């Protein structure tokens, strides 16, 4: 790195050799970043790589999405990049952001900001700033308040972000109260970064999160949902989830999670159902094959939320939670709807919660082939996730019991595979389609066809595949019983 790359005087200490090498990672993209910087300089403006891009470069994980800030306003930015960028989008223009693409890199250039909330509204009030220092001060955390000026590669760190990055701590540039007052979503972002980076929040930040948790109510459900999704998909979601509960933030948008702390698990496997749930989430993460499976993680998180409403104590003093999977599915659907999750995602998570107890009892030898077919049919394309959720839910410390449950589920999966090979379980459906039903019964499209189709599907699940003659005979038998034919 050249002399021009030496740290700015505002830095608290110089970069270590390893950190210099990390910033040198910028050289991978500098032909584009530096060229863009020179275009801004020629136009009389500044350009700085900022935020997560600098943080990730220092962590050795710089990606292909780069964030910049500038003193140029959006119209000026558009003039500077026009004819140079391969594509341009203006969806963030009202917030001072112009997006563009060049050589496979996605770049976002944002005018210096002094963004704040009016302490009442749910949306930010965007006010353009006038300097890099002002822009960095308004950022959420010190680890995101560092900059590399282009094209000279001058490093700027006025708030000690480098120290905090080294210490793995999350701290705010201004006081936590000021920062969270401007944007309460930052409290949730603190928990999200703790989950993503495995960092600890500074005690002052933790205190402010606890005292100001109610301010999260000012934020739209969609913004809360997006941050929570990123948290749950972090490399260490358990740390983030504990922060949400310990600070009271979960109570503002996911009270079912906090409610689990009050319930004792009927098997006394853990201190309470809350601890059991966190273990199930952790287990589910370990079963992922590549990347975050949000649907699986969310189902693991919500699988026992029906227990508080179904808790009962028997005459023998044992605690039970009968049908908590049914209640839990209903609560999950309502909560995810309130958080504005798409219907298809909500439906999948809800189905997994409803099905997660179905396996228990299999080991007693009570399941017929019909029960296995219904298990597969009800799970549908969620079957691989249901396998993982069910295995994740086994958290007993009793090694013999854990081994027996694992063996039972191994046996169930083997049985599913055997029946599937014989019967095409992936497509469990009646042996006659709607057209064949109408032709055989001499009826037009309508409710009768639907009832007949449902009856034949039940026969398929109960007895397995029927050949054509047997399927037609069963349909005629049903039609006579229904009084349709003589």
């Amino acid at each position: 790195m050249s002399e021009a790359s030496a740290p700015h005087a505002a830095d608290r200490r110089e970069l270590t050799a390893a950190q210099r090498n990390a910033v040198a990672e910028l050289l991978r993209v500098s032909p584009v970043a530096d060229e863009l910087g020179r275009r801004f300089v020629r136009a009389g403006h500044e350009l700085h790589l900022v935020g997560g891009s600098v943080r990730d470069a220092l962590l050795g994980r710089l990606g292909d999405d780069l964030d910049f800030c500038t003193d140029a306003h959006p119209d000026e930015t558009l003039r500077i990049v026009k004819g140079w960028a391969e594509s341009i989008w203006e969806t963030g223009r009202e917030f001072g952001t112009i997006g563009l693409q060049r050589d496979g890199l996605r770049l976002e250039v944002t005018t210096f900001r002094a963004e704040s909330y009016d302490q009442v509204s749910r949306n930010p009030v965007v006010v353009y700033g006038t300097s890099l220092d002002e822009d960095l001060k308004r950022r959420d955390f010190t680890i995101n308040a560092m900059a590399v000026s282009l094209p000279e590669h001058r490093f700027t760190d006025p708030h000690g972000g480098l120290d905090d990055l080294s210490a793995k701590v999350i701290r705010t540039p201004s006081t936590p109260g000021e920062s969270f007052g401007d944007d309460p979503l930052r409290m949730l972002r603190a928990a999200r970064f703790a989950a993503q980076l495995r960092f600890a929040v500074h005690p002052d930040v933790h205190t402010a999160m606890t005292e100001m948790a109610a301010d999260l109510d000012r934020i739209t459900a969609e913004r809360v949902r997006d941050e929570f999704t990123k948290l749950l998909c972090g490399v260490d979601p358990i740390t983030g989830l504990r922060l949400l509960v310990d600070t009271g933030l979960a109570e503002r948008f996911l009270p079912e999670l906090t409610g689990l702390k009050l319930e004792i698990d009927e098997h006394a496997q853990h201190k309470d159902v809350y601890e059991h749930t966190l273990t199930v989430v952790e287990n589910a993460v370990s079963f992922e094959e590549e990347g975050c499976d949000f649907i699986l993680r969310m189902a693991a998180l919500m699988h026992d939320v029906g227990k508080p409403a179904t808790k009962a104590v028997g005459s023998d003093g044992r605690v039970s939670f009968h049908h908590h999977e049914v209640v839990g599915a209903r609560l999950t659907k309502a909560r995810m709807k309130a958080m504005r999750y798409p219907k298809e995602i909500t439906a999948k998570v809800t189905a997994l919660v409803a099905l997660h107890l179905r396996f228990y009892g299999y080991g007693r030898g009570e399941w017929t082939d019909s029960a296995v077919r219904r298990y597969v049919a009800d799970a549908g394309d969620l079957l691989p996730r249901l396998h993982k959720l069910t295995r994740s839910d086994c958290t007993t410390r009793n090694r013999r019991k854990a081994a027996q449950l694992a063996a039972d589920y191994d046996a169930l999966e083997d049985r599913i595979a055997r029946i599937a090979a014989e019967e095409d379980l992936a497509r469990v459906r009646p042996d006659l389609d709607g057209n064949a039903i109408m032709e055989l019964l001499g009826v037009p499209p309508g409710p009768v066809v639907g009832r007949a189709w449902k009856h034949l599907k039940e026969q398929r699940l109960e007895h397995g595949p029927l050949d054509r003659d047997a399927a037609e005979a069963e349909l005629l038998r049903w039609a006579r019983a229904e009084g349709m034919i003589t």
Side-chain angles (χ1 to χ4, degrees):
M1 192 174 289
S2 66
E3 288 298 321
S5 303
H8 189 273
D11 297 341
R12 296 188 176 184
R13 65 177 59 178
E14 292 191 353
L15 296 173
T16 65
Q19 289 160 340
R20 283 182 178 276
N21 289 336
V23 173
E25 164 73 355
L26 292 171
L27 293 176
R28 179 173 68 83
V29 298
S30 65
V32 171
D34 289 348
E35 187 177 344
L36 183 60
R38 284 191 290 270
R39 292 179 72 89
F40 273 82
V41 170
R42 285 198 298 269
H45 293 291
E46 305 172 26
L47 187 71
H48 313 274
L49 187 71
V50 291
S53 296
V54 177
R55 179 198 70 227
D56 289 345
L58 290 168
L59 290 173
R61 47 187 253 183
L62 183 65
D64 294 329
D65 293 338
L66 305 179
D67 295 324
F68 301 86
C69 68
T70 180
D71 58 338
H73 286 199
D75 286 343
E76 297 169 286
T77 294
L78 283 171
R79 283 195 292 270
I80 293 170
V81 302
K82 187 175 182 180
W84 179 80
E86 295 163 356
S87 61
I88 297 173
W89 54 94
E90 302 180 43
T91 51
R93 182 171 181 159
E94 64 177 310
F95 299 109
T97 300
I98 300 298
L100 56 136
Q101 183 166 323
R102 174 81 179 197
D103 292 352
L105 300 175
R106 290 173 57 89
L107 318 175
E108 287 196 346
V109 182
T110 302
T111 305
F112 290 152
R113 293 204 305 227
E115 183 182 278
S116 65
Y117 280 69
D118 61 9
Q119 309 297 316
V120 176
S121 74
R122 290 169 171 238
N123 296 311
V125 177
V126 177
V127 179
Y128 292 146
T130 59
S131 70
L132 175 62
D133 284 347
E134 182 181 13
D135 184 271
L136 295 179
K137 184 178 181 180
R138 59 153 287 277
R139 292 183 177 268
D140 51 6
F141 305 111
T142 60
I143 58 175
N144 296 329
M146 298 176 283
V148 175
S149 302
L150 300 168
E152 65 270 32
H153 292 184
R154 185 181 70 251
F155 181 76
T156 303
D157 176 26
H159 303 288
L162 191 59
D163 290 340
D164 291 339
L165 199 66
S166 178
K168 297 185 177 182
V169 66
I170 298 169
R171 195 168 55 85
T172 54
S174 56
T175 67
E178 291 174 327
S179 181
F180 298 155
D182 279 346
D183 185 354
L185 190 67
R186 289 173 174 172
M187 294 184 287
L188 193 51
R189 284 171 62 83
R192 189 249 287 187
F193 279 120
Q196 286 184 331
L197 302 176
R198 287 198 170 103
F199 281 20
V201 298
H202 189 277
D204 291 345
V205 172
H206 192 287
T207 297
M209 290 167 68
T210 304
E211 294 176 349
M212 301 177 67
D215 285 12
L216 191 65
D217 296 349
R218 292 197 275 123
I219 304 302
T220 61
E222 291 81 1
R223 294 184 72 211
V224 170
R225 173 202 65 203
D226 291 347
E227 282 298 327
F228 174 73
T229 300
K230 293 174 184 176
L231 182 157
L232 193 58
C233 279
V235 296
D236 181 16
I238 306 307
T239 292
L241 292 169
R242 287 192 186 280
L243 265 173
L244 293 182
V245 172
D246 293 346
T247 59
L249 285 167
E251 189 66 32
R252 314 313 305 183
F253 69 95
L254 192 60
E256 293 82 2
L257 178 58
T258 303
L260 293 177
K261 289 179 70 72
L262 305 178
E263 303 303 327
I264 304 301
D265 188 273
E266 69 267 39
H267 303 300
Q269 297 166 325
H270 293 273
K271 181 179 179 181
D272 53 32
V273 179
Y274 169 71
E275 292 295 334
H276 163 73
T277 295
L278 295 184
T279 300
V280 174
V281 173
E282 191 171 34
N283 290 344
V285 172
S286 72
F287 280 117
E288 291 174 343
E289 294 165 7
E290 72 176 70
C292 171
D293 184 344
F294 172 77
I295 291 171
L296 175 62
R297 293 191 187 195
M298 189 66 176
L301 183 67
M302 302 296 285
H303 80 286
D304 273 350
V305 296
K307 283 189 170 180
T310 58
K311 179 180 179 180
V313 181
S315 58
D316 60 355
R318 287 180 60 83
V319 177
S320 65
F321 303 97
H322 295 306
H323 306 300
H324 74 267
E325 75 281 10
V326 177
V327 175
R330 185 171 68 246
L331 291 173
T332 297
K333 182 178 181 179
R335 179 55 54 198
M336 293 187 71
K337 180 180 179 181
M339 293 177 71
R340 305 292 194 270
Y341 277 102
K343 289 181 179 179
E344 59 273 19
I345 292 178
T346 298
K348 290 179 178 181
V349 174
T350 300
L352 286 171
V353 172
L355 290 168
H356 84 274
L357 279 186
R358 182 77 69 85
F359 159 74
Y360 292 95
Y362 177 80
R364 295 194 295 267
E366 299 170 356
W367 281 36
T368 62
D369 282 357
S370 172
V372 175
R373 293 188 196 99
R374 292 177 188 279
Y375 186 77
V376 174
D378 289 347
D381 60 4
L382 292 174
L383 185 62
R385 287 189 174 106
L386 182 57
H387 288 332
K388 294 174 183 177
L389 177 61
T390 302
R391 289 184 182 276
S392 297
D393 196 23
C394 176
T395 62
T396 178
R397 295 174 182 174
N398 184 316
R399 292 185 178 181
R400 180 178 298 177
K401 183 176 181 180
Q404 184 60 58
L405 286 170
D408 288 345
Y409 209 84
D410 287 342
L412 175 59
E413 289 195 11
D414 289 343
R415 192 171 175 188
I416 289 172
R418 175 181 60 77
I419 297 175
E422 298 170 356
E423 303 180 11
D424 189 14
L425 280 182
R427 301 177 61 195
V428 174
R429 60 188 61 189
D431 298 283
L432 300 176
D433 62 17
N435 290 327
I437 291 171
M438 289 187 287
E439 181 180 351
L440 191 61
L441 297 184
V443 297
V448 170
V449 178
R451 287 165 51 207
W453 189 93
K454 184 177 180 180
H455 172 75
L456 288 176
K457 182 179 180 181
E458 286 297 315
Q459 293 300 306
R460 173 73 168 78
L461 288 169
E462 187 67 30
H463 303 293
L466 300 176
D467 61 30
R468 180 79 181 200
D469 289 343
E472 290 182 355
E474 176 58 32
L475 178 62
L476 293 174
R477 187 202 64 76
W478 173 82
R480 282 192 292 271
E482 292 289 311
M484 297 180 188
I485 60 175
T486 59

